Structures are given as structure tokens and as C-alpha cells.
């Protein structure tokens, strides 16, 4: 299976499956001498982990990170940082019913056709449990860039959305509710709706908005490795992501240049920021903001028609522990992937002048 690494200079190589012994990774290219805040890393893991509230999967994992190399006396040594996170609460029996059938809109069918073998336990490598490695690496990447503020939050669930620009939101409220929506009234409506959807045995999609502040001018490369292209790839590599837009995004396509252009102030900042903090693929020092769309996840507790290995039409119903709406748990994953992209470009930028 190719494609398990991400990044150029600050690189994560990830391994592991949902119901294997452990997940983990190697971070290659982390600069030496960074004093790591291990509690901050563990806090990010706690934000991502399952079983935190009534609106997410009830799988219970400690998700404690064990570092194996690349750290001495609390500081990075410049050597590869190896780490593992054990799987302790897998219930593979919950998945025997999908051994010979393919869940509609999950990765079961394509994995089996591509590799000729499928680890059906918890979705194997296609499970979002894989994202633990991203969150560990992202938490370290954040510590390379302490001046940059990275805040992601749930901006919509189904048809319920925050009807305010991000500038009017208080990011300190993001963690104050189970949905991770900083607007408390909207958060309550979202939470009630997700509970309803769970009772119906269904799932629902949503969006996450992410804001990157204090990003210096100059991150991103001008041709293929544009900052927004790498952010897009990072976000679209997260399980269940269906869309990415930054700055004015798809709305910009309806505007005139006279409305869309961001006029300069004398210090190089701009009066508006429809560019979303990126011009020509390079950060311009303004806030970078983008939105990521997540689909309603495939495993639902309702009966659906599908096919089995022999190509016969059969009926199936989801079992086991699943997220009715993934956006609350995906918030730290979006932040981690943004941090990986920024750390990589920060190190690349040091080679440019
Ligand atoms: C945090 C998170 C949790 C997820 N939990 C589930 C789940 O409980 N059940 C499920 O079917 N899919 C879940 N997914 C989505 C699947 O991993 C994903 O749909 C699958 O790998 C197929 O990939 P695709 O949807 O990107 O095509 C989750 C995704 C994320 C980001």
C-alpha cells in the first residue's frame, strides 16, 4: 500500500489499522532542540479520541502516545521520532456481519478489489482511527510554530449553520460544548439534531471552518506546491471529506473583480480578505481561512440493500460503534493537518533566501 507519508521536509509516515495491535508513525525531519510539551500532545489526542460524549462513537480508547525515539531529556534530537498508540478496545466480532458484504459508500469494495484481501475488522486501514498518527504529528508541528494560532470549529451540521463571520466568534468557546461549535445557541441545535439522527439509526454531514492566524508572509511555493493546494490535499486526505474551499471559495465565482479585489493598506495588509490570506500560492500575512465539507458517514443502523462477494443483492444493517456525525471529532484532525502543512512550508521557506 503506497502513499502512507505526508510532507516534504517535515514528514509523517503513518501505520496501523483499526483493530491491529497499535497505530503509530515516524516523524522525519523534525528540527533538533524543540522542548516538547507532552501534555499538549496528549490533550490533542483526548480531543480526537472516541467515547468523549453522547454524540460520538462509544468506542473507549485511552489513546496514550508512547514515544520510542528521537527525544532525549524532553527535547527533540533531530533523529526520527517514532511513536505508537495501542488499540485496547477493539471489538472485531461487531464486524463479522460485513465480512462478505460491502457497506454502501464505504471503502470495503474498492479495498477488496484493489488488494484482493480485506481487513474488515473496524474498516482496517480505512478507519478514521488512522488519524491518531496525524494528530500526534500535528501536535508536534504546532510546537514548531508557537506564534501561529490554529483554530478549527464546527460551522454546520446538516442544514444548521453558524450565521456569523468567524471574526464575530469567540474561539475560546469551541471546547465548551460537545459539538465544538463556538456559537452556543447553534451548538445546542446541532447537538439535539445529532441525537435525533442517532436515534433514527442514521448519519449526517457537516462542515468545519479553520482559521490560521499570525502566519508570516511567504509560506507556500508558487507553482505545484501552492499553500492552498497543499492545504486542500491535506484536508481531502481526511476520511469522509468531500469538499474544500478557502477565502471567497465558490462564492467568489459569482463576484466581479471590482467587488472581489482586496485593496492594500500602506503596511501591505489588505482592507478585505477575500483572498483568504493566500495570493499566488503564498501566504500574505492576513488570516488564512478555509472550510472543509464532511459527508454523512456510510455506516448507518438502518437496513440497506448492497451486494456480497458473489455479486448477489443482499440486505445489510450497520452494527457496532459508529459516529452519527464526524465533524465534532474531526476538528482536531483538521487542525493537525493544517499544522503539518504550515510546519513543512516553514522549514522549506528557511531554504529560500
Ligand atoms: C473522525 C471520523 C470518524 C469516522 N467514523 C466513522 C464511523 O463511525 N463509521 C463510518 O462508516 N465511517 C466513519 N468515518 C468515515 C470513514 O472512515 C470513511 O468514510 C471511509 O474511510 C471511506 O472513505 P471516504 O468516505 O473518504 O470515501 C469517520 C471519519 C472521521 C473523520
Amino acid at each position: 500500500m503506497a502513499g502512507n507519508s505526508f510532507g516534504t521536509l517535515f514528514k509523517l509516515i503513518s501505520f496501523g489499522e483499526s483493530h491491529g495491535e497499535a497505530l503509530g508513525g515516524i516523524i522525519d525531519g523534525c528540527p533538533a532542540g524543540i522542548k516538547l510539551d507532552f501534555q499538549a500532545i496528549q490533550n490533542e489526542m483526548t480531543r480526537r479520541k472516541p467515547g468523549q460524549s453522547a454524540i460520538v462513537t462509544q468506542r473507549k480508547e485511552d489513546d496514550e502516545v508512547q514515544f520510542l525515539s528521537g527525544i532525549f531529556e524532553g527535547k527533540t534530537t533531530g533523529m526520527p521520532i517514532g511513536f505508537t498508540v495501542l488499540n485496547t478496545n477493539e471489538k472485531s466480532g461487531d464486524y463479522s456481519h460485513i465480512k462478505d458484504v460491502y457497506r454502501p459508500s464505504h471503502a470495503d469494495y474498492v479495498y477488496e478489489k484493489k488488494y484482493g484481501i480485506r481487513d474488515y475488522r473496524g474498516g482496517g486501514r480505512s478507519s478514521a482511527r488512522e488519524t491518531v498518527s496525524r494528530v500526534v504529528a500535528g501536535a508536534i508541528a504546532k510546537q514548531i510554530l508557537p506564534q501561529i494560532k490554529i483554530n478549527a470549529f464546527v460551522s454546520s451540521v446538516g442544514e444548521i449553520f453558524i450565521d456569523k463571520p468567524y471574526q464575530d466568534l469567540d474561539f475560546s468557546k469551541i471546547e465548551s460544548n460537545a459539538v465544538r461549535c463556538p456559537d452556543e445557541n447553534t451548538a445546542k441545535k446541532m447537538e439535539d439534531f445529532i441525537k435525533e439522527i442517532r436515534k433514527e439509526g442514521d448519519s449526517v454531514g457537516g462542515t468545519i471552518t479553520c482559521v490560521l492566524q499570525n502566519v508570516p508572509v511567504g509560506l507556500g511555493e508558487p507553482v505545484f506546491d501552492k499553500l492552498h493546494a497543499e492545504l486542500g490535499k491535506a484536508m481531502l486526505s481526511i476520511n469522509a471529506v468531500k469538499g474544500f474551499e478557502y477565502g471567497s471559495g465558490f462564492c467568489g465565482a459569482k463576484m466581479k473583480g471590482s467587488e472581489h479585489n482586496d485593496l492594500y493598506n500602506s503596511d501591505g495588509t489588505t482592507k478585505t480578505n477575500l483572498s483568504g490570506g493566500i495570493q499566488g500560492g503564498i501566504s500574505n500575512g492576513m488570516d488564512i481561512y478555509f472550510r472543509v465539507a464532511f459527508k454523512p458517514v456510510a455506516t448507518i443502523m438502518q437496513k440497506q440493500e448492497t451486494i456480497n462477494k458473489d455479486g448477489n443483492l443482499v440486505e445489510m444493517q450497520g452494527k457496532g460503534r459508529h459516529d452519527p456525525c464526524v465533524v465534532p471529532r474531526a476538528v482536531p484532525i483538521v487542525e493537525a493537518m493544517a499544522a503539518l502543512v504550515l510546519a513543512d512550508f516553514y522549514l522549506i521557506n528557511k531554504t529560500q533566501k
Side-chain angles (χ1 to χ4, degrees):
M1 184 195 208
N4 293 289
S5 61
F6 184 80
T8 303
L9 289 189
F10 187 91
K11 185 182 280 221
L12 166 69
I13 301 148
S14 98
F15 69 83
E17 296 91 31
S18 178
H19 290 205
E21 283 295 306
L23 299 115
I26 297 174
I27 300 162
D28 197 10
C30 183
I34 295 177
K35 191 168 174 358
L36 290 178
D37 178 345
F38 293 97
Q39 192 53 52
I41 298 169
Q42 205 54 55
N43 290 349
E44 291 302 312
M45 295 299 282
T46 303
R47 289 174 79 209
R48 195 218 72 95
K49 80 178 184 181
Q52 311 159 63
S53 73
I55 57 166
V56 300
T57 172
Q58 292 307 300
R59 180 169 172 166
K60 300 268 188 238
E61 292 283 359
D62 289 338
D63 282 355
E64 207 169 292
V65 190
Q66 298 290 330
F67 286 104
L68 308 174
S69 64
I71 300 167
F72 181 58
E73 294 179 337
K75 284 189 183 165
T76 58
T77 59
M79 306 301 136
I81 300 173
F83 62 90
T84 56
V85 179
L86 294 179
N87 286 322
T88 57
N89 191 224
E90 63 275 27
K91 290 191 179 170
S92 303
D94 283 352
Y95 292 87
S96 48
H97 68 294
I98 59 162
K99 188 167 166 287
D100 298 317
V101 298
Y102 308 115
R103 285 171 294 176
S105 286
H106 211 290
D108 305 337
Y109 177 84
V110 286
Y111 270 46
E112 183 140 354
K113 293 291 163 200
K114 183 173 168 72
Y115 300 105
I117 181 166
R118 170 158 71 105
D119 177 357
Y120 58 84
R121 305 161 307 160
R125 184 85 175 138
S126 74
S127 163
R129 185 121 184 90
E130 174 273 323
T131 60
V132 295
S133 310
R134 305 171 185 229
V135 172
V136 174
I140 293 178
K142 279 185 181 178
Q143 296 185 32
I144 297 177
L145 311 160
Q147 75 285 7
I148 298 183
K149 290 194 203 139
I150 302 178
N151 282 294
F153 57 89
V154 170
S155 40
S156 74
V157 168
E159 298 282 349
I160 306 166
F161 61 93
I162 305 179
D163 193 12
K164 288 177 189 166
Y166 75 83
Q167 293 87 342
D168 293 350
L169 299 171
D170 177 357
F171 292 156
S172 72
K173 299 244 166 75
I174 294 171
E175 295 297 318
S176 70
N177 57 73
V179 191
R180 298 206 163 97
C181 169
D183 188 63
E184 280 162 343
N185 290 336
T186 315
K188 176 82 183 82
K189 286 185 205 154
M190 289 173 172
E191 192 171 341
D192 291 346
F193 186 55
I194 297 172
K195 284 182 182 158
E196 232 174 82
I197 287 288
R198 162 167 264 164
K199 267 194 219 139
E200 289 168 13
D202 216 334
S203 64
V204 65
T207 61
I208 291 178
T209 297
C210 185
V211 185
L212 314 176
Q213 290 168 307
N214 296 343
V215 179
V217 180
L219 302 196
E221 299 302 308
V223 183
F224 295 115
D225 300 342
K226 292 182 166 74
L227 178 50
H228 56 274
E230 292 300 311
L231 284 170
K233 177 177 175 178
M235 299 307 144
L236 289 161
S237 77
I238 301 172
N239 312 42
V241 170
K242 286 286 169 194
F244 170 82
E245 64 175 352
Y246 76 103
S248 57
F250 283 85
C251 282
K254 298 180 197 151
M255 296 172 77
K256 297 178 190 157
S258 54
E259 297 164 327
H260 193 270
N261 286 347
D262 294 320
L263 303 184
Y264 285 104
N265 296 309
S266 54
D267 62 358
T269 60
T270 56
K271 295 182 203 299
T272 51
N273 183 18
L274 292 168
S275 304
I278 305 172
Q279 287 162 340
I282 298 170
S283 58
N284 68 355
M286 300 295 290
D287 289 357
I288 294 171
Y289 58 96
F290 58 85
R291 270 198 317 158
V292 189
F294 288 77
K295 74 181 194 184
V297 293
T299 313
I300 57 173
M301 303 300 137
Q302 297 180 2
K303 284 190 181 142
Q304 284 195 306
E305 190 180 83
T306 188
I307 53 166
N308 64 16
K309 280 185 175 178
D310 302 323
N312 300 320
L313 282 177
V314 291
E315 203 172 63
M316 72 161 297
Q317 186 172 2
K319 268 201 224 164
R321 300 160 298 178
H322 293 279
D323 290 282
C325 178
V326 298
V327 282
R329 287 186 58 218
V331 164
I333 305 168
V334 165
E335 288 184 6
M337 291 308 294
L340 289 181
V341 172
L342 293 179
D344 201 25
F345 277 130
Y346 171 77
L347 296 176
I348 291 169
N349 205 39
K350 283 179 174 265
T351 68
Q352 307 280 307
K353 273 193 203 158

